[in-house]
Amino acid sequence: MRMPEPDAGVVARRSAIARDLRDIVASEGVIEHETALRVYESDALTAYRQLPLIVVLPDTTRQIAEVLRYCNAHGIKVVPRGAGTSLSGGALPLADGIILGLGKFNRILDIDFDNRCVVAEPGVTNLAISHAVAHRGLYYAPDPSSQIVCTIGGNVAENAGGVHCLKYGLTVNNVLGAEVVLMNGDTVRLGGRYLDSEGYDLLAVINGSEGLLGVITEVTVRILARPETARAVLIGFPSAADAGVCVAAIIAAGIIPGGMEMMDQPAIHAAEAFCHPGYPMDAAALLIVELDGPAAEVDHLIERVQGIAAKSRASSVQASRSEDERLAFWAGRKAAFPAVGRISPDYYCMDGTIPRHRLPEVLERITEMSVRYGLRCANVFHAGDGNLHPMILYDANQPGQLETAERFGAEILTLCVELGGVLTGEHGVGVEKRDLMGTMFDEDDLKHQQRLKCAFDPEGLLNPGKVYPTLHRCAELGRVHVRGGQMRFPDIPRF
Amino acid sequence: MAGVVSAEPSHTATLAVETDAQVADAVQAAMAERAPVEVRGGGSKCRFGRPVEAASCLDTGALAGIVSYQPEELVLTARPSTTVAEIVQSLTPHCQMLAFEPPDWIPLLSGCTDVPGNAGGTLGGIVASNLSGPRRIRAGAARDHVLGFRAVSGRGESFKGGGRVVKNVTGFDLPKLLTGSFGTLAVMTEVTVRVLPAGERTQTLLVLDCAEDCAIRAMTAALQSPYDVSGAAHLPPDVAALSRVPAVATAAAGVTAVRIEGPAPSVSSRLQALRATLARFGALAALDDAESDTLWREIRDVTYFVAAGDEPDPRQVWRLSVPPAEGARVVAEILFALPGQAFFDWGGGLIWLALKRTDDAGQAAVRGALASGAGTACGHATLVRADASVRSRVPVFQPQPEPLAALTRRVKAGFDPKGVLNPGRMYEGV
């Protein structure tokens, strides 16, 4: 993984920069000692590490604006960071860049039940928002698996998903407004406690922008009534292909489950060994279909899903009869990552999306790759929306295994794109998938995306080296090529 | 090719393109000749937005037709000038829908097209203006359903964005940037949208004789309930009287409507539950599927502000998006200052307003009612219907504070540096 060459001039001025930053942010909010910096050297993609130049922890939006204005004026790169739970290296530091930590922005600013929204600072955790409104039977729907620790600002920056986004959408579909500070220090408010922003939908664009467009300093999210009830069906299949057929049949029947998760046999076995959820060990694939909503609807749909499963050659079908049983069905799936962590020293979690009907084919190809690369792979899928999380098992202490795992992962993602899917469904591009962007987008596609970046950050100082494999200068991207009025199609009808 | 009729404003030249390459060529020519174009598909929204400062028309009407539709993948790809009617016709046999409920504004705007079969406008037009109907509160806006596109930017370059799957965070979300950009950044040549299963049944619960405050509290209660409400609107007595649904028209009172959709057993059980929730707000009545469809189509298409006879309704029409709990106050303030009529959708968050025709369209009162203490607007107001002369004088879209306006101009400059695509359609100089 090559990062942009550090700017030696900036690195040399480190102490002076720290001194200047202490004029903006309280002294203890500027960190330059190596041991203290070590905490920030990676995010949840721990395979990549880099000590930042300096860490800055501002207290106020005004301080953020001043820090950014200062860095913009002095050509210093900035990497924003929330809780550091990115799985794609979105918050990986730069040797010549400061980490702008938003941990102190941890207050919920307003709970507005009448307008069904919550206004929060970016460092508030995803789950804290749901907790704050739970007493009125409301919640914030997107539920990434790291929701206990991941922050709403990071959720917006990464457009985080979760198990329930098939029915309730990703972060972008649940955010009403944001306050964003641009690299030049300007503060803009996008959207608010109302639907749809005026003008260009820059609010939507901020979602999933991976810290490349601005620093999010406030978020307004929509809150929903918690579903009256939820029940799950646990379905075992003799083959992954049968499970794929069942998934398609459920959607074709007009049913959009709250969640529809699939596990392959290695994942089933790892989960069973880890927390004994009572999964059918002989099944080649397991489906958890959760229906949530009004009780009458859930009971009705549970019966229909059971019927569809029976017709899809299911080897076992079990509907939850109590909340305890529903949670037990989920326990293994939710523990899939630690469970796999126990059967292997290290694992590498992938995140591609494919058209649903390609599931069996992809599984077959992954099995073939697993043999070829000599590494085991356990698969969990958000089957309802075709989002795959293959977990490649490797041992970082064995020379070359990490590199082999990376090549294996890249081949899976390339396959996803080949089959009409995309590189990442919810984890982001970050540094991890940066060099694969060319498999999905051509040069003109990428240049148009980067022109958006230029509108927000013309100097390219905000989180550079992430998402885009080639750093074009904005002046170059802005150049206009006019073909001198020669029309290739002089016979287009004109009237 | 679709014939173009009575263009407004009149263009000196029309260029009718049929392929992506021709679009790129036409935009290149516009750049070389410094001759901006007005992009036009079916033409149904040509009176929406500021009058475009362009002598030529880039007619994309021939870029039409469904490219692929995979019901089991819940995804449809079509060229932009495919009519919404054609898409709906393809989806209906599979019991699927465009969940954001695209409105048909042709009667409201007296759309300048008479392309046969263009009821509802085109997919490209709906996406370019990010229009959503009553189900917006539950299913999201048009922009939440646009998954990918192919387009030609104002630089004359073909490019694509997004993909054909819902879960996708690969790179910046350009599909959402183009949605609602009114053709000022790029000319779309293909659009991929998400489709969803349609509810088996639709029922509507009416609360009768609620004043605005009471109506908003009733809608809030319904939307805070776990009964999956997919529409919440309020018609004051003078608007309700215009409905073609007898129970609404003859109520002789304000009518608050709450819609529920889904499988039959679920709908009847939720209807019962909602009766209990809403009984304290007033007398209740229910509409069956057919009456519900009629009512929600009226609300979606704003038919109350369309004249019944041959003469067009002369009033100017505003559309305001506000925090739902502010809806009643905003309307009361405006109608205290100006004579007019209003109704509410989106649980009070969407206000439709028809005002007596004036030179400034009542802008000061309308936008003044949105101003919050901090000087920023708590919502936005769009002037949907007014004469071209008024639309060129009065900002059609909510004016932006300067740092945001500057950002908007930089985004425009990135995609259309010579300002050849629909210049001025959204903001002066953009």
Side-chain angles (χ1 to χ4, degrees):
Chain A
M1 176 56 52
R2 283 176 62 86
M3 294 306 283
E5 204 57 45
D7 181 332
V10 168
V11 174
R13 282 189 284 130
R14 182 165 176 267
S15 304
I17 293 167
R19 213 163 36 237
D20 289 346
L21 290 170
R22 285 203 179 88
D23 288 341
I24 302 172
V25 175
S27 192
E28 67 275 14
V30 178
I31 299 168
E32 45 175 338
H33 276 295
E34 191 187 324
T35 39
L37 290 179
R38 202 52 80 190
V39 177
Y40 297 88
E41 71 176 354
S42 78
D43 54 22
L45 183 68
T46 51
Y48 302 118
R49 288 166 199 274
Q50 168 65 53
L51 274 188
L53 185 72
I54 298 165
V55 172
V56 184
L57 306 172
D59 295 286
T60 65
T61 300
R62 178 178 291 185
Q63 287 176 1
I64 291 176
E66 282 185 44
V67 168
L68 292 180
R69 203 174 290 128
Y70 169 82
C71 291
N72 202 40
H74 294 85
I76 302 161
K77 295 167 187 146
V78 176
V79 177
R81 179 183 167 108
T85 57
S86 168
L87 290 164
S88 56
L92 180 72
L94 300 170
D96 59 343
I98 66 163
I99 286 277
L100 187 67
L102 293 151
K104 292 184 179 176
F105 289 76
N106 58 4
R107 290 173 308 162
I108 289 180
L109 300 174
D110 192 21
I111 299 174
D112 184 348
F113 288 111
D114 285 345
N115 290 313
R116 298 172 293 285
C117 64
V118 168
V119 184
E121 291 184 334
V124 172
T125 63
N126 171 297
L127 199 57
I129 295 176
S130 287
H131 281 160
V133 296
H135 62 288
R136 291 277 293 265
L138 298 162
Y139 79 122
Y140 172 62
D143 57 346
S145 56
S146 54
Q147 68 179 159
I148 302 171
V149 286
C150 66
T151 62
I152 192 66
N155 287 181
V156 172
E158 298 289 328
N159 191 13
V163 166
H164 290 93
C165 58
L166 174 62
K167 184 171 174 183
Y168 296 99
L170 296 156
T171 302
V172 65
N173 313 111
N174 291 279
V175 170
L176 294 173
E179 181 190 67
V180 178
V181 183
L182 307 184
M183 194 64 209
N184 66 4
D186 280 354
T187 302
V188 295
R189 295 195 76 87
L190 306 170
R193 298 179 197 209
Y194 45 87
L195 295 172
D196 302 340
S197 42
E198 81 298 331
Y200 296 143
D201 198 344
L202 302 179
L203 175 64
V205 165
I206 286 291
N207 281 270
S209 63
E210 304 199 25
L212 269 69
L213 298 184
V215 175
I216 297 153
T217 51
E218 187 192 293
V219 181
T220 303
V221 297
R222 187 170 76 122
I223 47 173
L224 302 178
R226 194 168 275 290
E228 202 173 57
T229 189
R231 288 178 67 194
V233 194
L234 191 68
I235 314 167
F237 294 92
S239 78
D242 292 323
V245 168
C246 185
V247 168
I250 289 170
I251 300 281
I255 301 169
I256 301 289
M260 181 146 58
E261 295 294 306
M262 189 168 155
M263 298 166 78
D264 72 353
Q265 198 161 42
I268 298 167
H269 284 203
E272 189 61 34
F274 184 73
C275 61
H276 322 296
Y279 288 164
M281 298 291 279
D282 54 340
L286 188 67
L287 211 54
I288 304 173
V289 184
E290 177 160 291
L291 283 311
D292 66 359
E297 178 168 319
V298 170
D299 292 344
H300 170 72
L301 293 181
I302 284 274
E303 270 186 40
R304 289 189 57 193
V305 167
Q306 286 178 287
I308 293 167
K311 281 191 200 140
S312 314
R313 307 204 326 133
S315 49
S316 64
V317 182
Q318 203 183 342
S320 68
R321 286 152 302 181
S322 67
E323 184 63 6
D324 283 348
E325 199 170 12
R326 181 184 76 87
L327 294 174
F329 287 178
W330 276 109
R333 167 62 185 87
K334 293 205 162 172
F337 291 5
V340 166
R342 215 179 64 162
I343 58 169
S344 171
D346 298 283
Y347 68 90
Y348 185 34
C349 177
M350 309 307 298
D351 171 47
T353 304
I354 51 161
R356 267 179 294 270
H357 72 278
R358 300 285 203 159
L359 262 178
E361 190 179 344
V362 169
L363 268 181
E364 204 173 293
R365 297 274 294 272
I366 291 177
T367 308
E368 176 265 315
M369 286 180 218
S370 171
V371 173
R372 185 149 43 82
Y373 286 101
L375 293 176
R376 290 179 298 161
C377 183
N379 288 290
V380 296
F381 300 149
H382 302 304
D385 36 32
N387 187 197
L388 322 173
H389 291 318
M391 287 175 284
I392 301 168
L393 315 188
Y394 72 100
D395 181 353
N397 289 326
Q398 300 291 322
Q401 275 212 359
L402 168 63
E403 292 72 20
T404 306
E406 284 177 334
R407 281 200 305 278
F408 186 173
E411 190 171 337
I412 293 175
L413 295 184
T414 307
L415 174 66
C416 290
V417 174
E418 232 169 74
L419 298 180
V422 301
L423 288 176
T424 171
E426 55 183 0
H427 294 174
V429 177
V431 290
E432 186 202 22
K433 305 171 200 84
R434 184 192 70 187
D435 295 343
L436 294 173
M437 286 291 272
T439 61
M440 189 167 151
F441 296 113
D442 67 25
E443 197 55 21
D444 275 341
D445 302 337
L446 291 172
K447 280 185 174 169
H448 277 89
Q449 295 193 27
Q450 287 174 285
R451 285 180 183 120
L452 184 65
K453 161 83 168 166
C454 290
F456 281 79
D457 172 24
E459 304 301 323
L461 293 170
L462 206 47
N463 218 5
K466 316 289 172 69
V467 185
Y468 297 102
T470 314
L471 287 177
H472 296 284
R473 297 197 73 85
C474 288
E476 175 205 332
L477 288 168
R479 219 166 281 145
V480 178
H481 304 279
V482 181
R483 278 200 307 265
Q486 285 297 317
M487 295 197 59
R488 287 175 297 167
F489 302 93
D491 53 347
I492 299 174
R494 286 168 179 261
F495 43 88
Chain B
M1 176 192 330
V4 177
V5 183
S6 67
E8 186 200 274
S10 56
H11 297 109
T12 55
T14 292
L15 199 57
V17 287
E18 293 176 356
T19 64
D20 286 35
Q22 288 183 348
V23 176
D25 217 30
V27 175
Q28 280 277 346
M31 290 166 70
E33 293 158 19
R34 293 190 172 266
V37 295
E38 175 167 358
V39 186
R40 181 188 165 105
S44 64
K45 312 263 177 338
C46 72
R47 291 195 181 96
F48 184 32
R50 298 179 73 247
V52 171
E53 301 142 21
S56 313
C57 173
L58 180 63
D59 176 9
T60 60
L63 292 173
I66 294 172
V67 176
S68 82
Y69 169 38
Q70 293 171 279
E72 73 287 358
E73 290 292 336
L74 303 174
V75 62
L76 177 143
T77 300
R79 298 172 89 202
S81 294
T82 313
T83 60
V84 171
E86 184 186 339
I87 292 172
V88 169
Q89 207 170 29
S90 299
L91 299 180
T92 305
H94 297 278
C95 302
Q96 293 187 344
M97 62 175 178
L98 293 171
F100 59 95
E101 222 174 348
D104 177 0
W105 282 10
I106 292 178
L108 178 70
L109 295 171
S110 322
C112 38
T113 182
D114 59 2
V115 174
N118 190 12
T122 62
L123 178 65
I126 289 289
V127 170
S129 40
N130 188 26
L131 295 184
S132 321
R135 208 181 285 107
R136 166 69 180 96
I137 51 172
R138 175 160 177 74
R143 62 96 137 155
D144 295 298
H145 297 262
V146 178
L147 303 180
F149 68 86
R150 298 183 51 77
V152 173
S153 72
R155 317 179 68 94
E157 296 164 355
S158 294
F159 70 114
K160 64 178 181 299
R164 292 175 47 79
V165 294
V166 173
K167 247 179 142 177
N168 178 12
V169 294
T170 320
F172 294 145
D173 200 338
L174 296 191
K176 290 194 178 64
L177 177 69
L178 288 203
T179 306
S181 67
F182 288 83
T184 60
L185 300 175
V187 183
M188 287 179 288
T189 57
E190 190 179 282
V191 185
T192 297
V193 290
R194 171 192 200 197
V195 300
L196 282 171
E200 280 167 36
R201 299 288 310 272
T202 303
Q203 305 251 291
T204 301
L205 191 61
L206 304 179
V207 184
L208 304 175
D209 207 12
C210 242
E212 274 77 348
D213 285 352
C214 157
I216 288 196
R217 277 185 280 117
M219 290 189 286
T220 301
L223 289 167
Q224 288 177 342
S225 80
Y227 307 126
D228 289 352
V229 169
S230 71
H234 174 70
L235 310 179
D238 54 337
V239 175
L242 301 170
S243 175
R244 287 190 301 141
V245 178
V248 176
T250 61
V255 174
T256 311
V258 172
R259 177 173 67 178
I260 41 180
E261 300 170 291
S266 167
V267 167
S268 57
S269 129
R270 281 185 284 152
L271 193 69
Q272 280 314 315
L274 272 171
R275 280 179 183 279
T277 306
L278 298 179
R280 65 192 155 105
F281 295 99
L284 303 177
L287 300 183
D288 64 19
D289 292 70
E291 292 169 320
S292 291
D293 284 348
T294 303
L295 177 67
W296 291 102
R297 188 162 301 153
E298 290 174 352
I299 293 166
R300 183 193 80 184
D301 298 344
V302 206
T303 58
Y304 312 122
F305 296 167
V306 177
D310 290 338
E311 282 303 302
D313 185 331
R315 294 176 298 174
Q316 292 160 334
V317 173
W318 287 88
R319 180 180 191 253
L320 285 71
S321 179
V322 300
E326 298 283 313
R329 176 195 63 78
V330 168
V331 165
E333 269 186 49
I334 297 169
L335 294 186
F336 181 75
L338 300 168
Q341 211 170 34
F343 70 93
F344 303 84
D345 193 359
W346 297 357
L350 183 71
I351 297 167
W352 280 101
L353 193 65
L355 299 177
K356 190 163 172 282
R357 193 201 304 232
T358 57
D359 284 349
D360 72 346
Q363 168 185 221
V366 172
R367 295 214 160 106
L370 295 180
S372 73
T376 51
C378 69
H380 51 94
T382 306
L383 179 57
V384 170
R385 186 174 75 194
D387 292 343
S389 61
V390 176
R391 282 183 283 118
S392 61
R393 264 195 323 272
V394 175
V396 166
F397 299 99
Q398 185 75 25
Q400 298 181 317
E402 191 39 39
L404 184 54
L407 183 57
T408 295
R409 289 192 296 269
R410 293 198 297 270
V411 172
K412 167 74 172 179
F415 284 78
D416 180 15
K418 301 277 182 195
V420 295
L421 297 181
N422 281 355
R425 179 112 193 218
M426 296 182 79
Y427 302 102
E428 202 172 348
V430 169

